[in-house]
Amino acid sequence: MKEMEDKEQVLMAFYTQYYKGADFDDIKQLDQHLSQEIGEERYAELMKNLEDEGLIFGMEQVESREKAGEDSPMATNEGMLYVNDILNLPSEAVEDHQLDYLENHLKTSKLNFTLEPVETYIYKTIEEQAQQKPNENSP
């Protein structure tokens, strides 16, 4: 199995959260949870790298965008496209099914998570969304 880079895994958590339809409180909660579980220093380093690469907005920027009444996801458009690219996901897919595509790809790929809190969050979110829409056809 090929291990994903830690930064890719963290970005994937925020990608998953976006398609869950998270609000500012959800973003803040996930940010704090990952910081505690991964370790503050390591997590801060990963977030700085992602922010420097333009793949995420930092928490300060998310907060200021939220206060301005703007949409405030953690992942940038570039970050979303980056995840689509590394996972070979169709970026033009209907948003309601994006987590289905993510789940299907993770099940069939040879990618391996190394950050357990990220893996747990992603699969838990996918399961919760499936429970909310059990009768819809998935791709």
Side-chain angles (χ1 to χ4, degrees):
M1 288 190 144
K2 178 185 180 257
E3 289 185 358
M4 289 182 279
E5 292 180 35
D6 289 353
K7 73 172 189 174
E8 293 171 342
Q9 294 174 65
V10 170
L11 180 58
M12 195 180 306
F14 288 109
Y15 174 96
T16 302
Q17 187 179 55
Y18 173 83
Y19 285 109
K20 173 186 174 187
D23 61 19
F24 176 71
D25 289 334
D26 294 330
I27 294 168
K28 196 172 177 180
Q29 186 177 17
L30 179 58
D31 182 62
Q32 291 170 348
H33 173 72
L34 292 178
S35 178
Q36 290 171 347
E37 294 296 317
I38 295 171
E40 289 181 28
E41 191 175 305
R42 178 70 180 132
Y43 181 72
E45 179 185 322
L46 293 169
M47 294 298 282
K48 181 174 178 357
N49 290 341
L50 287 166
E51 191 173 357
D52 289 349
E53 291 179 36
L55 301 175
I56 64 160
F57 295 112
M59 223 26 237
E60 290 176 13
Q61 196 172 1
V62 169
E63 192 167 354
S64 67
R65 290 167 54 100
E66 172 70 15
K67 286 179 182 175
E70 298 175 36
D71 192 21
S72 59
M74 184 68 87
T76 63
N77 285 338
E78 291 80 10
M80 301 296 278
L81 292 172
Y82 183 90
V83 172
N84 286 341
D85 188 47
I86 62 169
L87 294 177
N88 224 10
L89 298 173
S91 59
E92 70 281 352
V94 178
E95 281 195 14
D96 286 346
H97 294 294
Q98 203 67 24
L99 291 180
D100 295 322
Y101 284 109
L102 176 61
E103 178 183 31
N104 289 339
H105 182 78
L106 290 174
K107 285 180 179 177
T108 60
S109 73
K110 301 231 187 262
L111 297 174
N112 188 28
F113 284 95
T114 57
L115 299 174
E116 186 276 329
V118 171
E119 180 178 23
T120 299
Y121 174 79
I122 290 172
Y123 282 112
K124 179 181 173 197
T125 300
I126 290 170
E127 179 61 30
E128 287 171 356
Q129 293 302 300
Q131 296 297 321
Q132 289 179 9
K133 305 176 205 171
N135 296 325
E136 289 189 19
N137 292 328
S138 60

